[in-house]
Amino acid sequence: MFPVARAAQSLVARGIQHTAVRQAHRKHEPNFHDKYGTMVLLGGATMFSAVWGYVFTQLGMAWGFSPVGRITPREWRE
């Protein structure tokens, strides 16, 4: 390996090590994702399930392996 490339590689590795050590000694403060991440995820999953549950129950489709001949359009209401 060329001496310049070896020196550059060691500098990069040393920089990564310094960053890891500095972050390991820093006191971790909870941010938004630590505080509310799970609740936001659960709320989004609940809304997703509720909306699609409503859509699927209001479609009026006859579910089966093959929908050919089973789905008929409803009459238009004015």
Side-chain angles (χ1 to χ4, degrees):
M1 187 177 256
F2 296 111
V4 174
R6 193 174 328 132
Q9 184 181 13
S10 69
L11 280 175
V12 170
R14 194 175 311 137
I16 292 172
Q17 288 173 348
H18 283 287
T19 303
V21 168
R22 188 170 51 244
Q23 288 178 352
H25 289 293
R26 191 177 69 185
K27 188 172 183 179
H28 179 69
E29 301 169 353
N31 59 12
F32 177 83
H33 300 288
D34 293 332
K35 290 181 183 178
Y36 308 111
T38 305
M39 293 308 295
V40 170
L41 180 67
L42 291 176
T46 302
M47 284 299 297
F48 178 86
S49 300
V51 168
W52 280 108
Y54 176 79
V55 168
F56 284 139
T57 57
Q58 298 302 314
L59 276 178
M61 292 177 63
W63 294 98
F65 290 112
S66 175
V68 176
R70 295 184 186 195
I71 301 174
T72 57
R74 294 182 181 169
E75 290 295 323
W76 181 256
R77 295 175 293 179
E78 290 194 32

